[in-house]
Amino acid sequence: MAKDMTLLWGSGSPPCWRVMITLEEKNLKGYNQKLLSFEKMEHKSEEVMKMNPRGQLPAFKHGDKVLNESYAACLYLENQFKSQGNKLVPDCPAELAMMYQRMFEGLSLNQKMADVIYYNWKVPEGERHDSAVKRNRESLTAELKLWEGYLQKTSGGFLAGKTFSLADVCVYPSICYVFRFGLCEERYPKLASYYNSLKDRPSIKASYPPTWLENPQGQDVLKDI
């Protein structure tokens, strides 16, 4: 059934990684995939634009159904293949509610992270302001402290309780990203523990960004956050 699936993706992209982790968790092997380069602007190629007119990755298709938003693809795959692989949605109503809450809060983390890491890339030189840089960094710091607090309160080691769920699928790539860009593990011990505890999970190891494996040394953009 995975042979009817096609994924166009970019290495290191949290949205792409979410979909790939879900595919691994659901034991959907043998899907068609193509690694594209952001640096070469391949995400703006005709091949991508036909599937995703926004010119963004991932671009994912199952049969004639196209899901280019990573959260949508993850939810769809869990719903369509409930009995296959690992169950990613808890039965407990309290854990289910927490899963959805943390999943969608993850979008705030991803946005605030990007506002800091990609500020110079997204904002033209003449429009950059030190005050905006300071504000973005303060906003990300507050966001990370929220997640540090969430993990202090959880007893199961996962974001929504005792089992790995779609909350972890969707948020873990962003947590990896902030540490990749120099976040201090000593300053955020609970986030660091969570980050390190899932590194060896089979779905995460199997889908780990190849460019990160080739170049384990990240950047230090967030070392002072």
Side-chain angles (χ1 to χ4, degrees):
M1 59 190 75
K3 292 179 180 178
D4 293 336
M5 298 179 184
T6 298
L7 176 67
L8 307 180
W9 61 287
S11 180
S13 157
C16 294
W17 199 3
R18 292 169 195 147
V19 179
M20 297 176 80
I21 292 172
T22 304
L23 288 163
E24 290 291 333
E25 289 286 338
K26 302 312 292 182
N27 198 29
L28 292 163
K29 308 288 188 181
Y31 59 90
N32 303 297
Q33 60 167 299
K34 187 173 184 180
L35 172 59
L36 301 175
S37 168
F38 290 110
E39 289 76 14
K40 295 177 182 176
M41 297 297 290
E42 290 177 345
H43 55 297
K44 300 297 184 183
S45 66
E46 183 179 353
E47 181 181 20
V48 173
M49 297 297 284
K50 282 181 178 178
M51 281 178 64
N52 187 351
R54 293 181 182 274
Q56 298 172 344
L57 299 175
F60 178 72
K61 182 165 66 171
H62 179 209
D64 60 356
K65 296 170 285 294
V66 176
L67 298 105
N68 294 320
E69 290 297 327
S70 61
Y71 274 42
C74 293
L75 286 163
Y76 170 84
L77 289 167
E78 172 61 21
N79 183 272
Q80 291 298 302
F81 302 97
K82 290 178 183 177
S83 61
Q84 183 166 324
N86 296 319
K87 182 178 173 63
L88 297 174
V89 173
D91 292 321
C92 169
E95 291 187 1
L96 178 64
M98 183 64 74
M99 182 201 80
Y100 281 120
Q101 179 63 29
R102 295 292 180 258
M103 273 181 72
F104 285 92
E105 280 188 276
L107 295 172
S108 293
L109 171 61
N110 207 67
Q111 183 60 56
K112 292 175 182 180
M113 170 186 82
D115 286 344
V116 173
I117 294 172
Y118 294 116
Y119 182 78
N120 285 349
W121 180 74
K122 290 165 62 178
V123 180
E125 187 173 357
E127 299 176 19
R128 297 173 196 161
H129 300 284
D130 290 344
S131 59
V133 172
K134 182 174 182 289
R135 185 169 59 250
N136 289 344
R137 294 178 75 85
E138 288 173 348
S139 181
L140 177 58
T141 298
E143 182 72 22
L144 289 167
K145 287 179 178 177
L146 270 180
W147 289 94
E148 181 74 9
Y150 293 157
L151 286 165
Q152 285 177 347
K153 295 173 185 175
T154 186
S155 58
F158 301 104
L159 289 176
K162 300 180 181 65
T163 59
F164 187 85
S165 73
L166 282 178
D168 303 289
V169 169
C170 290
V171 177
Y172 184 75
S174 297
I175 300 296
C176 285
Y177 211 78
V178 293
F179 284 111
R180 170 79 177 173
F181 278 83
L183 190 71
C184 176
E185 293 194 22
E186 290 76 17
R187 196 171 293 135
Y188 299 93
K190 294 296 183 182
L191 274 171
S193 176
Y194 173 74
Y195 161 63
N196 287 309
S197 71
L198 289 179
K199 277 183 176 179
D200 290 328
R201 188 174 179 87
S203 63
I204 288 168
K205 285 188 76 172
S207 57
Y208 199 80
T211 51
W212 294 6
L213 291 172
E214 294 164 6
N215 181 18
Q217 187 66 38
Q219 300 180 38
D220 60 1
V221 179
L222 305 180
K223 66 178 182 179
D224 298 323
I225 292 288

